Amino acid sequence: MKSNLLQHINSPTDLRQLKEAQLPQVAQELRDFIIDIVSVKEGHLGASLGVVELTIALHYVFNTPEDLLIWDVGHQAYGHKILTGRRENFHTNRQLGGISGFPKRSESIYDAFGVGHSSTSISAALGMAIASNLKGEFEKHHIAVIGDASIASGMAFEGLNHAGVTDANLLVILNDNAIGIDPSVGALKNYLTAVKEGKNPKQNNMIKSLNFDYSGPIDGNDIFAVIKELKRLKKVKGPKFLHIITTKGKGLQQAEEDQVKYHAPGKFDATTGEIHLKSEENLPPKYQDVFGLTLLDLAKKNEKIIGITPAMPSGSSLKFMMEAFPKRAIDVGIAEQHAVTLSAGMATQGMIVFCNIYSTFLQRAYDQVIHDVALQNLPVIFCLDRAGLVGEDGATHHGVFDLAYLRCIPNMVVYAPLNEIALRNILYTAQLGLNHPISIRYPRGRGLIVDWQKPYEKIEIGKAYCLKKGSNVAVLSNGTIGNNVTLALAKMHHPETIAHYDFAFVKPLDENLLHTVFSTFENIITIEDGVIKGGFGSAILEFSSQNNYTSKVKTLGIPDEFIKQGTIDEQQQYCKIDVKSLENIFLSY
């Protein structure tokens, strides 16, 4: 019986003591270990399974952590974490107090750069390589592992363009599996497919034309072939580019066959691969599905409606419209800046454009939101999925900055629905025609209303509403976090002292109602699932100051720090915006 090799590997130094012939066994054990843990604890599965051989080969050939290894995004870094001293606590991955689901500099010296969003690896590794040259460290290696979906992003091209005119000791490894979270799209994907299939002439190589030493494509799941090529490239100076072909989900049949579903499948049977599905009967829908199905319904009746997403058709549920109207629903790949300006261009021609981007990803296109949309006052409809706290993905993925970074932009309308019906109605209202761009933010996960498909009603822009009357304290909430207020009030013995107002519009604010509130109440509480600094509460404080009101205003929301991974409930408790915390705060008045 073979001994377990993985249990004796506590660092890459231990790995390098093994004979090369033993590495396939390490690969099998590492794959099994990842499957066993992720099947119970959940996480990003397929990407890490696909790069097991590459991960082992990189740490075997290069002298990490002295040689610097950068993973793009980090979905594929589980094997890296396990081999670099985190095997024993890998079961805490993505949990409160546990290790991060992504590479993180403060977590390990082997995590050379923190990541979570795509296409940053080449620029970061190049920066490190140039710095090494300046310090006289000419033998040091700098490796960026980037996927075929990520390399299509503009930032990756910026890094390649710069690297090609340097003498930096940089190795870019293209992990080509033809899929990101959804299948890769675009002309570059078609080019890479032609290269893989041998249809592209050797002299017609776009990477070589950028002054890289190009090699490949090779089988990235053949550990001996990968090690042989890495050893060769280790002796080559300057910018190098290795093209490898891998299979996402390698080693688990279902993950290989359904790579979209098994990107992050939730809990599943480690032996059969069968996903443990919970019954969705009589459950409220996910907010993303309310968006996707509503947009499809509206698009059937309005031919001017266009849907655009940067590489998230499944995650955003734009897939429903893409299936029905493939020419009017567009996946532009990992290209948030392009998605925003493409939307702006279409809006100039009278199209009604729904630009659907995760809140945390819209940060990457902030310049375009200001210059290409708001400055020209183009009525692009931004639909920001995953707004607020998102749970286990942690600090890189929280959509907590959008209220603050959007409300300061002239012409921008900012709206956060209280529930699914309000989301449907604002989507309906927006496609009727607006005079300004609008941002509609909604959270990850399910709402509260099972019977959500009500007849559409037009929403009055800038209007807030009293949900509950009260005598002593006014609570002003924005978005779905207002449901926590309702639940907290329901638990109180004397809720009649607390009034509750839904301020779905952060911009424009309902100033008429605010004058009434400030004239009536001495104590006002604002609550939001965005950052307190610059957000909804700040807007209320500004109104109070400008109008010389003396009411005391308490602001609740996300504090001035990056919130770590955990469940959404745990994160809300930490920020004191969960039901129990709100109940205690209300009782203190």
Side-chain angles (χ1 to χ4, degrees):
M1 182 177 178
K2 290 182 180 178
S3 63
N4 186 303
L5 298 176
L6 184 61
Q7 68 179 0
H8 300 294
I9 299 174
N10 297 308
S11 73
T13 302
D14 297 331
L15 177 68
R16 294 176 202 128
Q17 303 305 311
L18 299 176
K19 297 177 181 178
E20 201 170 306
Q22 294 176 289
L23 297 183
Q25 181 183 336
V26 176
Q28 185 60 54
E29 291 176 9
L30 184 56
R31 241 185 208 104
D32 291 343
F33 187 85
I34 292 171
I35 290 171
D36 286 345
I37 297 292
V38 177
S39 68
V40 176
K41 298 293 186 177
E42 304 186 13
H44 295 103
L45 178 70
S48 286
L49 293 182
V51 295
V52 162
E53 287 80 11
L54 174 64
T55 303
I56 294 169
L58 285 168
H59 285 295
Y60 191 74
V61 172
F62 291 99
N63 187 32
T64 54
E66 283 73 23
D67 289 333
L68 299 173
L69 175 58
I70 316 297
W71 298 93
D72 207 274
V73 186
H75 285 150
Q76 73 280 52
Y78 287 1
H80 160 80
K81 291 202 169 204
I82 293 162
L83 294 176
T84 55
R86 288 165 277 185
R87 184 187 71 253
E88 290 298 320
N89 61 352
F90 185 68
H91 66 281
T92 70
N93 186 43
R94 303 172 80 243
Q95 296 177 22
L96 182 69
I99 63 174
S100 170
F102 300 91
K104 188 175 182 181
R105 278 171 54 83
S106 61
E107 187 177 293
S108 171
I109 57 173
Y110 291 94
D111 291 359
F113 200 73
V115 292
H117 289 188
S118 84
S119 314
T120 60
S121 61
I122 298 174
S123 296
L126 177 60
M128 295 170 185
I130 293 174
S132 293
N133 279 355
L134 292 171
K135 292 190 292 183
E137 298 172 347
F138 300 112
E139 300 305 313
K140 196 168 189 173
H141 297 277
H142 313 82
I143 306 109
V145 181
I146 188 167
D148 56 286
S150 293
I151 204 168
S153 175
M155 187 174 177
F157 273 94
E158 292 170 23
L160 290 171
N161 182 57
H162 182 194
V165 294
T166 72
D167 58 355
N169 199 13
L170 172 70
L171 170 59
V172 176
I173 298 177
L174 173 60
N175 173 34
D176 186 357
N177 58 20
I179 190 169
I181 295 175
D182 285 283
S184 302
V185 296
L188 182 62
K189 181 262 181 105
N190 294 339
Y191 168 81
L192 293 172
T193 300
V195 170
K196 285 188 283 190
E197 295 175 353
K199 297 177 181 177
N200 206 68
K202 288 283 186 183
Q203 62 272 23
N204 180 25
N205 188 301
M206 63 184 296
I207 304 300
K208 282 185 177 179
S209 69
L210 292 173
N211 295 331
F212 276 77
D213 181 306
Y214 174 90
S215 59
I218 66 170
D219 182 354
N221 294 124
D222 180 341
I223 196 164
F224 300 118
V226 175
I227 287 174
K228 180 180 178 181
E229 186 58 19
L230 290 179
K231 286 181 174 178
R232 184 189 75 80
L233 289 169
K234 198 174 179 182
K235 302 172 186 175
V236 178
K237 296 296 183 184
K240 305 167 285 291
F241 192 102
L242 173 59
H243 185 175
I244 70 169
I245 312 300
T246 63
T247 300
K248 188 171 182 177
K250 180 76 173 177
L252 186 65
Q253 184 179 348
Q254 290 86 343
E256 292 185 31
E257 293 173 353
D258 193 339
Q259 295 175 334
V260 173
K261 184 179 290 185
Y262 282 82
H263 171 75
K267 295 180 181 180
F268 63 95
D269 187 296
T271 303
T272 67
E274 183 180 353
I275 296 173
H276 299 321
L277 294 175
K278 297 177 182 176
S279 173
E280 297 190 2
E281 189 176 352
N282 296 322
L283 285 177
K286 294 178 180 178
Y287 277 97
Q288 67 180 65
D289 289 341
V290 173
F291 161 78
L293 293 170
T294 300
L295 187 63
L296 173 60
D297 183 54
L298 295 172
K300 289 176 180 176
K301 304 163 187 171
N302 189 336
E303 293 182 353
K304 290 187 176 181
I305 287 179
I306 302 290
I308 292 175
T309 183
M312 301 303 296
S314 295
S316 70
S317 293
L318 190 66
K319 61 183 180 182
F320 298 127
M321 186 178 171
M322 290 179 72
E323 290 165 0
F325 303 106
K327 291 186 178 180
R328 291 166 53 198
I330 306 166
D331 177 4
V332 300
I334 302 177
E336 294 87 357
Q337 293 173 304
H338 169 60
V340 171
T341 305
L342 179 71
S343 300
M346 287 189 166
T348 67
Q349 301 305 302
M351 307 308 286
I352 299 168
V353 188
F354 288 80
C355 185
N356 186 207
I357 300 182
Y358 285 12
S359 169
T360 186
F361 296 158
L362 187 63
Q363 294 162 191
R364 301 169 69 106
Y366 193 56
D367 181 77
Q368 287 70 27
V369 171
I370 294 174
H371 285 268
D372 299 340
V373 177
L375 182 61
Q376 303 183 85
N377 203 21
L378 295 170
V380 174
I381 304 159
F382 292 105
C383 299
L384 307 189
D385 200 335
R386 306 309 200 261
L389 296 164
V390 298
E392 290 82 356
D393 279 344
T396 58
H397 283 60
H398 293 314
V400 297
F401 302 105
D402 52 24
L403 294 178
Y405 73 64
L406 290 170
R407 81 172 189 88
C408 64
I409 302 175
N411 293 329
M412 180 65 71
V413 176
V414 181
Y415 181 86
L418 177 67
N419 54 37
E420 306 94 304
I421 293 172
L423 174 56
R424 269 174 62 81
N425 286 337
I426 195 65
L427 295 173
Y428 167 75
T429 301
Q431 58 89 44
L432 293 176
L434 295 175
N435 296 322
H436 305 285
I438 184 171
S439 296
I440 305 165
R441 71 183 309 261
Y442 47 94
R444 181 184 188 182
R446 298 184 187 278
L448 298 171
I449 302 171
V450 176
D451 184 20
W452 57 278
Q453 292 178 303
K454 308 282 187 183
Y456 295 115
E457 293 183 15
K458 186 177 180 180
I459 287 176
E460 182 179 345
I461 301 299
K463 184 72 172 173
Y465 296 92
C466 179
L467 300 178
K468 178 188 171 299
K469 292 181 179 180
S471 58
N472 187 32
V473 180
V475 177
L476 317 183
S477 65
N478 168 260
T480 58
I481 199 71
N483 294 301
N484 281 10
V485 175
T486 300
L487 292 170
L489 292 173
K491 290 176 174 289
M492 294 177 63
H493 292 301
H494 299 287
E496 64 273 5
T497 60
I498 310 292
H500 183 198
Y501 296 84
D502 173 30
F503 274 79
F505 287 96
V506 171
K507 188 177 183 183
L509 283 169
D510 188 338
E511 295 195 354
N512 289 333
L513 185 55
L514 279 177
H515 281 298
T516 300
V517 169
F518 274 87
S519 300
T520 306
F521 296 92
E522 291 184 7
N523 293 291
I524 295 169
I525 302 172
T526 69
I527 178 169
E528 59 199 298
D529 60 348
V531 290
I532 295 172
K533 290 184 180 294
F536 168 60
S538 289
I540 300 302
L541 286 169
E542 290 164 13
F543 172 86
S544 175
S545 175
Q546 290 161 4
N547 291 279
N548 298 313
Y549 283 114
T550 59
S551 303
K552 295 176 183 178
V553 179
K554 181 180 182 66
T555 56
L556 300 175
I558 312 304
D560 189 23
E561 60 185 275
F562 291 105
I563 307 301
K564 295 180 181 179
Q565 69 275 4
T567 65
I568 292 177
D569 286 343
E570 289 168 338
Q571 290 163 345
Q572 288 187 353
Q573 288 171 24
Y574 179 80
C575 298
K576 295 182 172 55
I577 55 175
D578 62 299
V579 174
K580 184 63 178 176
S581 295
L582 292 177
E583 183 186 359
N584 290 335
I585 290 169
F586 298 160
L587 287 171
S588 69
Y589 283 87

